[in-house]
Amino acid sequence: MAAHTLPYGSWPSPIDAGLAAALDGRPEYLGAIGPEVWWTEPRPREGGRRALVRRTVEGGRATTALPAPWNVRSRYTEYGGRPWAGAQRDAGGPLLVFVHFADQRLYAYEPDAPGGAQPRPLTPVCAVGGGLRWADPVLRGGEVWCVLEEFTGPAPTDVRRVLAAVPLDGSAAEDRGAVRELTDDRHRFSTGPRLSPDGRHAARLVWDHPRMPWDGTELRLAEITADGRLTGERSVLGGPEEAVAQVEWTPGGALLALSDRSGWWNPYRVDPGTGEAVNLCPREEEFGGALWKPGLSWLAPLPDGLLAVLHGQGSSVLGVLDPDSGDLVDAAGPWTAWQPTLAVCGSRVYGVAASPRSPYEVVELDTAGGHARAIAGPQGPETRPVDPAYYPEPQNRTFAGPDDRQIHAHVYPPHHPACTAPADELPPYVVWAHGGPTDHVPPVLDLQIAYFTSRGIGVVEVNYGGSTGYGRAYRERLREQWGVVDVEDCAAVARALAAEGTADPGRLAIRGGSAGGWTAAASLAATGLYACAAISYPVLDLPGFAEETHDLESRYVDGLAGPPQTLAVLNRERSPVARADRITAPFVLLQGLDDPVCPPAQAERLLAALRGRAVPHAYVAFEGEGHGFRRADTVVRALEAELSLYAQVFGIERQDVPRLPLHD
């Protein structure tokens, strides 16, 4: 193919915004039911719903188990959690219990019942506050046990959480009183229960304000009485400075936990009586991660006593651990990142993984033979193939930041199989600040990145101090330093790329969503480094965020910035709203109008603070979108608005996207 010389940013590309939107999201919440593996997956073209999908272990293709408009997704703590559970009945096929997003009720569903039975409700609709929300369920006899979130008033913090038992016969469908509460609500947050194989014990994780689950959690253990009550619950592991990310039972009845007591999330065998914990694989690697949602799993026991584990630094791999010898054997394959969802069916392990050349897909590992293969990828007619020649190749880099601290990043240079730029031109680069901020980004195929790199715009994803994947000490760098360390680390990476001749120093941009939106906006106010920014559903005002956000993150700022009594001072020093007079670079602000995490009031305060100042900007709001865009048409409009901003600011000619109006 003959090469064409065109300026950076002006290259033609087959990766349009529609294709990037169609492949947005990934499978989640795997589980095995009899001879089948099930999971949820996104459907951007179907209103952004999560579909429930099934596939037989012995072959066959994945099929959608529930048609639109069924949307298998919980709103527990707004971020959700495992929304379904299932079991194989003696006759008649599987029984499923799931949360439907629209009304947040639990439903029972028998997909193979004669006549195609429809899902039937198990829980009532409750209009007080946000109603009743359910997550992380497990079937037990004639009930489903799960964690219940119940709103008691109009404020987002007017909420209580308990373990609850819902009858499968439908008697609670119109009667809240038929739901049995298994625990009291003394603990602010809880996962669902993990039941021992003999049915005599239930384990769960709990934590309380102001801690977040990666700060400190407790593993609590209770006895199950003959009549199905919980009694004698006690703490056996964890505490204010020890974060337990997962608890699990082996088929033989051993209690396992992922704890960061060593400074890294490692797997432990826990004595239920004494709480003594033995590290099964002591390594300076993460075998766990941030427990943003109940039901995440980095560890899954196999019937033969081995353990399937996800582990690594920064990126993760799937391995099989012998808990007695400590031997760990990794699965072969191209995948460079695995999501925290694992399922086991016999000797086979199922997970969700991606690589720089493939999006997230369901992967099967046969532990008997050691063979791993992808068994399901993105579905639907809109997932047309892309020539891999247009995919960028990430470069995993470590940069030096202030005080010589290490900063981890993934650099995606502009790449096109048939286009090059003039020899005397340096490419524009966009710094991507991830959300969380207690999270991280792995080096995998993301068509939103390819959307820009295939047009000649470079991208660098920064796992700034505070990110997960590199041990507790790296996470703790951001403690009371949000708006400082994240801003400095992103700027250090951008300056390094410019200094080494990789990026054009005059055409640097920054983009981020949620906590990354805070970093992007704070960077405009603090550095003067960036020519423009794309800011999505951001935090922009610390006291306002603490008052307006959902309960889970209502005290998050305590650890990120400082205690409530110092927040006003810190806000004046760091908040983009308070420092709006320092913002001069153009930006686009993208906001979902139904966002309960970062409400539109955050964006509106920044716009009000800029009123009357000559700062070119655009505000694009989306009806029906919450925290993180899910609908294909929204993602398309957001990507095209972002590209138009870069084209205007960087002096790039593009005719393939609508021009974004920028107003002072």
Side-chain angles (χ1 to χ4, degrees), residues 227-278:
D227 59 351
R229 294 179 297 109
L230 297 185
T231 184
E233 189 180 51
R234 65 194 191 281
S235 178
V236 297
L237 192 71
E241 297 181 356
E242 178 182 357
V244 182
Q246 185 183 350
V247 58
E248 211 66 62
W249 298 91
T250 69
L255 184 62
L256 304 177
L258 294 176
S259 167
D260 73 344
R261 57 172 45 191
S262 70
W264 300 82
W265 273 302
N266 280 185
Y268 290 81
R269 182 187 293 114
V270 182
D271 185 313
T274 66
E276 180 183 356
V278 177

Side-chain angles (χ1 to χ4, degrees), residues 40-319:
T40 71
E41 68 179 31
R43 296 291 169 82
R45 299 285 186 187
E46 297 176 21
R49 78 179 184 106
R50 300 285 309 188
L52 190 62
V53 177
R54 65 193 296 191
R55 183 188 186 277
T56 58
V57 170
E58 295 300 332
R61 61 186 297 271
T63 58
T64 302
L66 281 167
W70 292 107
N71 187 355
V72 183
R73 179 181 159 213
S74 170
R75 284 189 63 185
Y76 180 81
T77 71
E78 297 300 351
Y79 286 133
R82 187 173 183 86
W84 73 273
Q88 186 73 21
R89 298 177 302 162
D90 293 337
L95 171 65
L96 275 292
V97 173
F98 69 91
V99 179
H100 178 45
F101 181 77
D103 58 15
Q104 287 299 291
R105 300 174 84 181
L106 276 173
Y107 287 80
Y109 179 47
E110 301 172 61
D112 298 340
Q118 290 296 303
R120 52 184 176 84
L122 298 179
T123 55
V125 175
C126 181
V128 175
L132 306 175
R133 300 176 182 179
W134 317 83
D136 211 7
V138 60
L139 296 175
R140 181 185 182 274
E143 296 177 319
V144 55
W145 286 18
C146 54
V147 60
L148 162 63
E149 178 178 74
E150 183 172 23
F151 285 81
T152 58
T157 53
D158 293 337
V159 63
R160 60 191 296 269
R161 298 177 183 89
V162 297
L163 294 188
V166 178
L168 290 171
D169 62 8
S171 58
E174 305 297 335
D175 181 9
R176 166 66 178 84
V179 175
R180 290 195 308 121
E181 294 192 5
L182 300 169
T183 63
D184 58 32
D185 59 1
R186 73 181 65 182
H187 295 291
R188 192 68 173 189
F189 302 98
S190 176
T191 65
R194 297 294 178 268
L195 308 182
S196 61
D198 62 9
R200 297 172 55 190
H201 295 89
R204 64 172 176 150
L205 303 179
V206 302
W207 67 98
D208 294 283
H209 284 317
R211 297 192 301 273
M212 296 299 285
W214 42 86
D215 296 326
T217 58
E218 290 181 47
L219 191 170
R220 295 185 67 82
L221 189 64
E223 295 180 6
I224 304 175
T225 64
D227 59 351
R229 294 179 297 109
L230 297 185
T231 184
E233 189 180 51
R234 65 194 191 281
S235 178
V236 297
L237 192 71
E241 297 181 356
E242 178 182 357
V244 182
Q246 185 183 350
V247 58
E248 211 66 62
W249 298 91
T250 69
L255 184 62
L256 304 177
L258 294 176
S259 167
D260 73 344
R261 57 172 45 191
S262 70
W264 300 82
W265 273 302
N266 280 185
Y268 290 81
R269 182 187 293 114
V270 182
D271 185 313
T274 66
E276 180 183 356
V278 177
N279 194 334
L280 302 178
C281 192
R283 292 191 181 194
E284 290 190 348
E285 293 184 6
E286 300 284 41
F287 288 74
L291 186 64
W292 277 103
K293 300 180 285 189
L296 302 182
S297 59
W298 297 265
L299 174 151
L302 288 149
D304 60 5
L306 300 177
L307 305 176
V309 294
L310 303 178
H311 70 101
Q313 278 200 37
S315 300
S316 57
V317 296
L318 172 64

Side-chain angles (χ1 to χ4, degrees), residues 302-360:
L302 288 149
D304 60 5
L306 300 177
L307 305 176
V309 294
L310 303 178
H311 70 101
Q313 278 200 37
S315 300
S316 57
V317 296
L318 172 64
V320 177
L321 172 67
D322 184 331
D324 296 321
S325 68
D327 292 340
L328 179 58
V329 179
D330 293 335
W335 305 284
T336 54
W338 294 74
Q339 287 299 301
T341 179
L342 292 173
V344 170
C345 186
S347 63
R348 295 175 179 175
V349 178
Y350 296 88
V352 174
S355 78
R357 315 298 287 176
S358 59
Y360 282 102

Side-chain angles (χ1 to χ4, degrees), residues 433-438 464-466 476-488 513-520 522 538-542 545-546 553 556-562 567 570-571 573-576 598 602:
H434 64 71
T438 312
Y464 48 81
E476 293 287 340
R477 285 186 190 175
L478 204 58
R479 182 163 294 279
E480 298 191 1
Q481 294 297 308
W482 197 32
V484 179
V485 166
D486 50 326
V487 170
E488 290 177 347
S514 188
W518 159 272
T519 302
V539 178
L540 296 170
D541 168 56
L542 293 176
F545 175 72
E553 294 183 89
Y556 195 6
V557 171
D558 288 28
L560 290 175
L567 203 54
L570 293 168
N571 193 62
E573 296 173 350
R574 303 179 194 174
S575 160
C598 296
Q602 290 280 306

Side-chain angles (χ1 to χ4, degrees), residues 377-395:
Q379 295 190 16
E382 67 275 9
T383 57
R384 63 185 186 275
V386 178
D387 184 348
Y390 289 90
Y391 292 165
E393 192 66 38
Q395 302 170 0

